[in-house]
Amino acid sequence: RFDNEKQKEGEAAVSYSHTFTKDKVLNFDYTYSLQDEVEDNHYTNTYAFPFVDTLLDNTLIKQRNDEHLFKLTYNWQINDKSKMVVGYEMELDKSNMRYFVENYDNYAWVKDSLRSNNYIFNENVQSLYATYEREINKFSFLLGVRAEKSFITNKLLTINMNVKDNYLLCYPTIHTQYDIDKNNTFQMNYSFRVNRPEGEDLNPFPEYQDPYNIFKGNPYLKPEKIHSIEIGWQWKKDATTFILTPYYRYAYNKMTRITTIDSNNVTTTTKENMSSSKYSGVELIFTTTLFS
């Protein structure tokens, strides 16, 4: 296999901030990013035993990703002990993936119509969110909620087919902290998170990594949802910090890689939403400064 890859990336950003008073600030941010990639694969398959004629094929993969991100945030410092943030966010993603495959047949290169394809992924995610922070003596907390509406369209141009998926989700967040003394802090947190599938996870057209290994996406893949609970203890003295964080997480609609092998020994890998999973663990962090 000879694989020549070229990739270009770019990003531009602009921001604007308006201060109504020292306690009330409005921020606007816009970011545009792009990624353009070309992958030119040339395969030679030689068989020693049993003998089969040498097979040649070319695979040209072109992929372009464009992302627009708009953020509008209003920060309000209510008083010395509390503040609030409300905001709106819009994310526009577009991916264009093109696969052009040729086989060498009778001393000429011939397009493989079964493996060549064109796929476009469009995602529009609009969100409203708010957070409220408050300190009460040694106790402090943060309450947050985010409502998110997603509009997803998979355009399978090669077979003239569109697959759409629209869904509304709300993400609550709770962070609490209690300062036991000047060295010890106790925390308890809960959050609900979502991992959305990317364009290549949804593209149903097979990508031939080589003639015997194929990856294809699942256009009906749902987002993975995770509930997370954490309890933390932090001890800090001078330049030394010790953090102990037991956690428990419950995930459902989990995106899992599934691999099958057919009678021709061709391995096909895709992703499916599997049943829920539960897992727990402990994170331990220790830092110190020996010299300063």
Side-chain angles (χ1 to χ4, degrees):
R1 175 190 180 192
F2 173 74
D3 177 19
N4 183 29
E5 297 185 23
K6 297 180 180 180
Q7 181 172 302
K8 295 183 292 184
E9 294 183 356
E11 183 175 284
V14 62
S15 62
Y16 170 78
S17 179
H18 180 76
T19 302
F20 296 96
T21 65
K22 66 177 183 179
D23 301 326
K24 299 177 182 179
V25 180
L26 180 69
N27 296 309
F28 171 77
D29 298 279
Y30 166 70
T31 303
Y32 170 71
S33 60
L34 68 88
Q35 183 182 70
D36 203 348
E37 182 178 351
V38 177
E39 184 176 345
D40 194 4
N41 292 282
H42 302 271
Y43 296 102
T44 301
N45 303 285
T46 304
Y47 301 87
F49 182 82
F51 177 76
V52 179
D53 290 338
T54 299
L55 301 179
L56 303 174
D57 61 69
N58 299 331
T59 303
L60 182 65
I61 303 173
K62 294 183 178 181
Q63 180 171 334
R64 180 183 173 95
N65 302 316
D66 294 88
E67 179 182 288
H68 301 267
L69 181 60
F70 302 85
K71 291 184 179 180
L72 186 64
T73 308
Y74 181 71
N75 298 271
W76 177 23
Q77 187 72 41
I78 301 173
N79 52 48
D80 293 339
K81 300 293 184 180
S82 61
K83 67 177 181 179
M84 191 167 186
V85 178
V86 295
Y88 167 77
E89 185 175 305
M90 180 170 64
E91 181 179 344
L92 304 175
D93 293 333
K94 181 178 180 180
S95 297
N96 190 345
M97 307 175 192
R98 289 173 288 171
Y99 298 85
F100 182 75
V101 183
E102 292 179 316
N103 298 320
Y104 194 70
D105 186 21
N106 294 327
Y107 305 101
W109 287 104
V110 181
K111 178 182 177 181
D112 189 336
S113 300
L114 296 178
R115 295 164 59 188
S116 300
N117 60 77
N118 192 358
Y119 166 78
I120 295 178
F121 167 75
N122 285 288
E123 183 178 52
N124 180 351
V125 181
Q126 303 196 39
S127 308
L128 291 172
Y129 59 91
T131 61
Y132 175 72
E133 295 182 54
R134 177 77 185 273
E135 293 183 20
I136 306 174
N137 299 325
K138 295 184 177 182
F139 177 74
S140 61
F141 65 87
L142 181 148
L143 302 177
V145 64
R146 179 186 180 97
E148 184 178 279
K149 180 68 174 179
S150 298
F151 305 88
I152 299 174
T153 302
N154 301 292
K155 296 182 179 180
L156 319 180
L157 300 182
T158 306
I159 58 176
N160 193 25
M161 177 181 175
N162 288 350
V163 179
K164 296 183 178 182
D165 188 15
N166 303 329
Y167 52 85
L168 174 66
L169 293 172
C170 291
Y171 314 106
T173 302
I174 302 173
H175 295 282
T176 62
Q177 177 174 308
Y178 181 75
D179 298 325
I180 302 172
D181 53 40
K182 65 178 182 179
N183 301 120
N184 294 275
T185 301
F186 176 79
Q187 296 181 344
M188 182 178 291
N189 306 318
Y190 164 78
S191 63
F192 175 58
R193 301 194 299 270
V194 171
N195 293 330
R196 295 191 299 269
E198 299 180 353
E200 62 181 13
D201 299 323
L202 300 170
N203 183 5
F205 292 117
E207 177 184 346
Y208 290 77
Q209 299 165 334
D210 59 58
Y212 289 96
N213 292 279
I214 300 172
F215 177 82
K216 65 177 182 179
N218 178 2
Y220 302 101
L221 200 62
K222 300 295 183 181
E224 179 179 297
K225 304 174 184 179
I226 304 171
H227 295 277
S228 177
I229 298 175
E230 297 179 353
I231 298 175
W233 169 61
Q234 175 181 288
W235 179 84
K236 184 175 183 180
K237 186 174 182 180
D238 299 328
T240 302
T241 302
F242 179 84
I243 302 174
L244 182 67
T245 310
Y247 63 85
Y248 170 81
R249 292 182 181 131
Y250 171 67
Y252 56 102
N253 284 348
K254 191 169 181 62
M255 292 185 289
T256 306
R257 283 180 174 264
I258 303 296
T259 300
T260 58
I261 302 177
D262 64 18
S263 58
N264 296 318
N265 290 325
V266 176
T267 299
T268 301
T269 301
T270 187
K271 286 189 176 182
E272 299 282 352
N273 291 114
M274 301 300 289
S275 58
S276 60
S277 64
K278 302 176 183 178
Y279 53 99
S280 59
V282 177
E283 293 179 351
L284 181 63
I285 300 175
F286 176 78
T287 61
T288 187
T289 303
L290 299 178
F291 304 100
S292 61

